[in-house]
Short mmCIF file of all heavy atoms in Angstrom, two decimals:
data_model
loop_
_atom_site.label_atom_id
_atom_site.label_comp_id
_atom_site.label_asym_id
_atom_site.label_seq_id
_atom_site.Cartn_x
_atom_site.Cartn_y
_atom_site.Cartn_z
N ILE A 1240 95.24 116.90 103.81
CA ILE A 1240 96.24 115.76 103.62
C ILE A 1240 95.82 115.02 102.43
O ILE A 1240 96.77 114.62 101.62
CB ILE A 1240 96.08 114.87 104.84
CG1 ILE A 1240 96.97 115.51 106.02
CG2 ILE A 1240 96.67 113.52 104.51
CD1 ILE A 1240 98.40 115.61 105.78
N VAL A 1244 98.84 114.68 99.56
CA VAL A 1244 99.35 113.45 99.17
C VAL A 1244 98.91 113.10 97.66
O VAL A 1244 99.81 112.60 97.01
CB VAL A 1244 98.70 112.31 100.20
CG1 VAL A 1244 99.23 110.92 99.71
CG2 VAL A 1244 99.22 112.62 101.62
N TRP A 1248 101.65 111.93 94.50
CA TRP A 1248 101.48 110.57 94.10
C TRP A 1248 102.05 110.42 92.70
O TRP A 1248 101.66 110.97 91.72
CB TRP A 1248 100.03 110.12 94.20
CG TRP A 1248 99.91 108.62 94.01
CD1 TRP A 1248 99.33 107.99 92.96
CD2 TRP A 1248 100.39 107.52 94.84
NE1 TRP A 1248 99.37 106.65 93.11
CE2 TRP A 1248 99.96 106.23 94.29
CE3 TRP A 1248 101.22 107.42 96.05
CZ2 TRP A 1248 100.30 105.06 94.82
CZ3 TRP A 1248 101.57 106.30 96.60
CH2 TRP A 1248 101.11 105.07 95.96
N THR A 1249 102.98 109.32 92.58
CA THR A 1249 103.61 108.99 91.17
C THR A 1249 103.27 107.68 90.75
O THR A 1249 103.42 107.38 89.50
CB THR A 1249 105.04 109.29 91.29
OG1 THR A 1249 105.66 108.32 92.20
CG2 THR A 1249 105.37 110.73 91.52
N GLU A 1264 86.22 105.88 103.53
CA GLU A 1264 84.87 105.43 103.69
C GLU A 1264 84.67 104.23 104.60
O GLU A 1264 83.84 104.24 105.56
CB GLU A 1264 84.13 105.26 102.44
CG GLU A 1264 83.88 106.50 101.57
CD GLU A 1264 83.21 107.69 102.32
OE1 GLU A 1264 82.15 107.38 102.88
OE2 GLU A 1264 83.68 108.81 102.28
N VAL A 1278 92.48 110.21 113.37
CA VAL A 1278 93.61 109.23 113.00
C VAL A 1278 93.22 108.27 111.98
O VAL A 1278 93.90 108.06 110.96
CB VAL A 1278 94.14 108.45 114.39
CG1 VAL A 1278 95.02 107.34 113.91
CG2 VAL A 1278 94.60 109.36 115.39
N PHE A 1282 95.08 108.10 108.28
CA PHE A 1282 95.76 106.95 108.01
C PHE A 1282 95.28 106.54 106.58
O PHE A 1282 96.10 106.14 105.68
CB PHE A 1282 95.15 105.78 108.81
CG PHE A 1282 95.52 104.47 108.43
CD1 PHE A 1282 96.81 103.89 108.69
CD2 PHE A 1282 94.56 103.70 107.71
CE1 PHE A 1282 97.08 102.67 108.28
CE2 PHE A 1282 94.95 102.42 107.25
CZ PHE A 1282 96.18 101.92 107.49
N LEU A 1285 97.49 108.38 104.22
CA LEU A 1285 99.01 108.42 104.47
C LEU A 1285 99.49 107.05 104.43
O LEU A 1285 100.72 106.81 104.30
CB LEU A 1285 99.36 109.15 105.73
CG LEU A 1285 99.05 110.62 105.74
CD1 LEU A 1285 99.27 111.20 107.22
CD2 LEU A 1285 100.04 111.26 104.88
N ASP A 1287 99.72 104.43 102.47
CA ASP A 1287 100.31 103.92 101.34
C ASP A 1287 101.11 105.12 100.57
O ASP A 1287 101.58 104.79 99.42
CB ASP A 1287 99.30 103.26 100.38
CG ASP A 1287 98.86 101.97 100.70
OD1 ASP A 1287 99.55 101.30 101.49
OD2 ASP A 1287 97.80 101.53 100.24
N SER A 1288 101.21 106.21 101.15
CA SER A 1288 101.73 107.37 100.45
C SER A 1288 103.18 107.33 100.19
O SER A 1288 103.70 108.12 99.23
CB SER A 1288 101.51 108.63 101.23
OG SER A 1288 102.18 108.46 102.68
N MET A 1291 106.83 102.57 96.81
CA MET A 1291 107.71 102.68 95.70
C MET A 1291 107.31 101.58 94.66
O MET A 1291 107.77 101.71 93.46
CB MET A 1291 109.19 102.44 96.06
CG MET A 1291 109.65 103.44 97.06
SD MET A 1291 111.32 103.04 97.61
CE MET A 1291 112.04 104.54 97.78
N ASP A 1296 106.50 95.73 98.38
CA ASP A 1296 107.06 96.88 99.17
C ASP A 1296 106.62 96.95 100.57
O ASP A 1296 105.96 97.69 101.09
CB ASP A 1296 106.58 98.30 98.43
CG ASP A 1296 107.31 99.42 98.92
OD1 ASP A 1296 108.12 99.32 99.92
OD2 ASP A 1296 106.93 100.57 98.43
N ASP A 1298 108.27 97.55 103.17
CA ASP A 1298 108.74 98.75 104.16
C ASP A 1298 107.85 100.10 103.89
O ASP A 1298 108.28 101.10 104.50
CB ASP A 1298 110.19 99.05 103.76
CG ASP A 1298 111.03 97.80 104.20
OD1 ASP A 1298 110.68 97.18 105.26
OD2 ASP A 1298 112.09 97.56 103.68
N GLU A 1301 106.56 101.74 107.14
CA GLU A 1301 107.61 102.30 108.00
C GLU A 1301 108.07 103.75 107.32
O GLU A 1301 108.24 104.70 108.05
CB GLU A 1301 108.80 101.44 108.07
CG GLU A 1301 109.99 101.98 108.75
CD GLU A 1301 109.64 102.18 110.32
OE1 GLU A 1301 108.92 101.24 110.88
OE2 GLU A 1301 110.08 103.14 110.82
N THR A 1309 107.88 114.50 109.02
CA THR A 1309 108.33 115.62 108.20
C THR A 1309 107.13 116.59 107.96
O THR A 1309 107.34 117.74 107.65
CB THR A 1309 108.89 115.22 106.82
OG1 THR A 1309 107.83 114.63 105.99
CG2 THR A 1309 110.10 114.28 106.95
N LYS A 1316 100.43 120.07 112.08
CA LYS A 1316 100.84 120.84 113.26
C LYS A 1316 99.76 120.94 114.42
O LYS A 1316 100.09 121.06 115.50
CB LYS A 1316 101.27 122.20 112.81
CG LYS A 1316 100.19 123.09 112.26
CD LYS A 1316 100.66 124.28 111.87
CE LYS A 1316 99.53 125.22 111.21
NZ LYS A 1316 100.07 126.37 110.54
N ASP A 1317 98.40 120.70 113.94
CA ASP A 1317 97.41 120.76 114.91
C ASP A 1317 96.93 119.44 115.48
O ASP A 1317 95.88 119.23 116.23
CB ASP A 1317 96.15 121.48 114.34
CG ASP A 1317 96.53 122.93 113.98
OD1 ASP A 1317 97.41 123.61 114.65
OD2 ASP A 1317 95.92 123.31 112.93
N CYS A 1330 100.32 103.23 110.58
CA CYS A 1330 101.09 103.08 109.22
C CYS A 1330 102.11 101.98 109.26
O CYS A 1330 102.32 101.16 108.33
CB CYS A 1330 101.65 104.45 108.82
SG CYS A 1330 100.32 105.64 108.30
N ILE A 1344 93.90 101.87 116.00
CA ILE A 1344 94.87 101.22 115.16
C ILE A 1344 94.22 99.90 114.41
O ILE A 1344 94.35 99.91 113.23
CB ILE A 1344 96.18 100.72 115.87
CG1 ILE A 1344 96.94 101.98 116.32
CG2 ILE A 1344 96.99 99.93 114.91
CD1 ILE A 1344 98.02 101.72 117.29
N LEU A 1353 89.42 95.97 104.12
CA LEU A 1353 88.24 95.81 103.64
C LEU A 1353 88.24 96.25 102.08
O LEU A 1353 87.22 96.00 101.43
CB LEU A 1353 87.16 96.56 104.35
CG LEU A 1353 86.66 96.03 105.66
CD1 LEU A 1353 85.90 97.05 106.50
CD2 LEU A 1353 85.93 94.78 105.62
N LEU A 1355 90.57 95.04 99.96
CA LEU A 1355 91.37 94.04 99.42
C LEU A 1355 90.66 93.48 97.99
O LEU A 1355 91.36 93.04 97.13
CB LEU A 1355 91.75 92.92 100.19
CG LEU A 1355 92.93 93.21 101.23
CD1 LEU A 1355 92.96 92.04 102.31
CD2 LEU A 1355 94.26 93.49 100.56
N ILE A 1360 91.10 89.81 96.22
CA ILE A 1360 91.11 89.06 97.42
C ILE A 1360 89.84 89.45 98.24
O ILE A 1360 89.59 90.59 98.60
CB ILE A 1360 92.32 89.40 98.16
CG1 ILE A 1360 93.74 88.98 97.53
CG2 ILE A 1360 92.41 88.74 99.72
CD1 ILE A 1360 94.87 89.61 98.24
N LEU A 1367 90.28 89.89 110.16
CA LEU A 1367 90.09 91.31 110.43
C LEU A 1367 90.15 91.41 111.91
O LEU A 1367 90.06 90.56 112.83
CB LEU A 1367 88.75 91.85 109.90
CG LEU A 1367 88.52 91.83 108.44
CD1 LEU A 1367 87.18 92.05 107.84
CD2 LEU A 1367 89.55 92.80 107.74
N ALA A 1368 90.59 92.74 112.40
CA ALA A 1368 90.82 92.95 113.64
C ALA A 1368 89.74 93.53 114.62
O ALA A 1368 89.79 93.41 115.87
CB ALA A 1368 92.05 94.05 113.69
N ASN A 1378 78.93 90.68 105.48
CA ASN A 1378 77.75 91.16 104.89
C ASN A 1378 77.95 91.98 103.54
O ASN A 1378 77.08 92.56 103.00
CB ASN A 1378 76.92 92.11 105.82
CG ASN A 1378 76.46 91.28 107.06
OD1 ASN A 1378 75.71 90.38 106.77
ND2 ASN A 1378 76.74 91.89 108.11
N ALA A 1383 80.33 90.17 93.81
CA ALA A 1383 79.79 91.11 92.83
C ALA A 1383 80.72 92.33 92.46
O ALA A 1383 80.75 92.84 91.46
CB ALA A 1383 78.40 91.67 93.44
N TYR A 1387 82.90 88.30 89.81
CA TYR A 1387 82.84 86.81 89.61
C TYR A 1387 81.58 86.48 88.96
O TYR A 1387 80.54 86.84 89.31
CB TYR A 1387 82.98 86.20 91.08
CG TYR A 1387 84.45 86.00 91.54
CD1 TYR A 1387 85.45 86.55 90.86
CD2 TYR A 1387 84.71 85.33 92.60
CE1 TYR A 1387 86.87 86.55 91.35
CE2 TYR A 1387 86.03 85.18 93.12
CZ TYR A 1387 86.98 85.86 92.49
OH TYR A 1387 88.29 85.80 93.05
#
Side-chain angles (χ1 to χ4, degrees):
I1240 284 293
V1244 174
W1248 187 246
T1249 59
E1264 291 305 314
V1278 173
F1282 171 84
L1285 293 169
D1287 282 340
S1288 61
M1291 298 174 143
D1296 189 358
D1298 295 326
E1301 181 64 38
T1309 70
K1316 67 183 176 194
D1317 299 326
C1330 288
I1344 295 172
L1353 287 168
L1355 285 171
I1360 299 170
L1367 295 171
N1378 294 310
Y1387 280 5

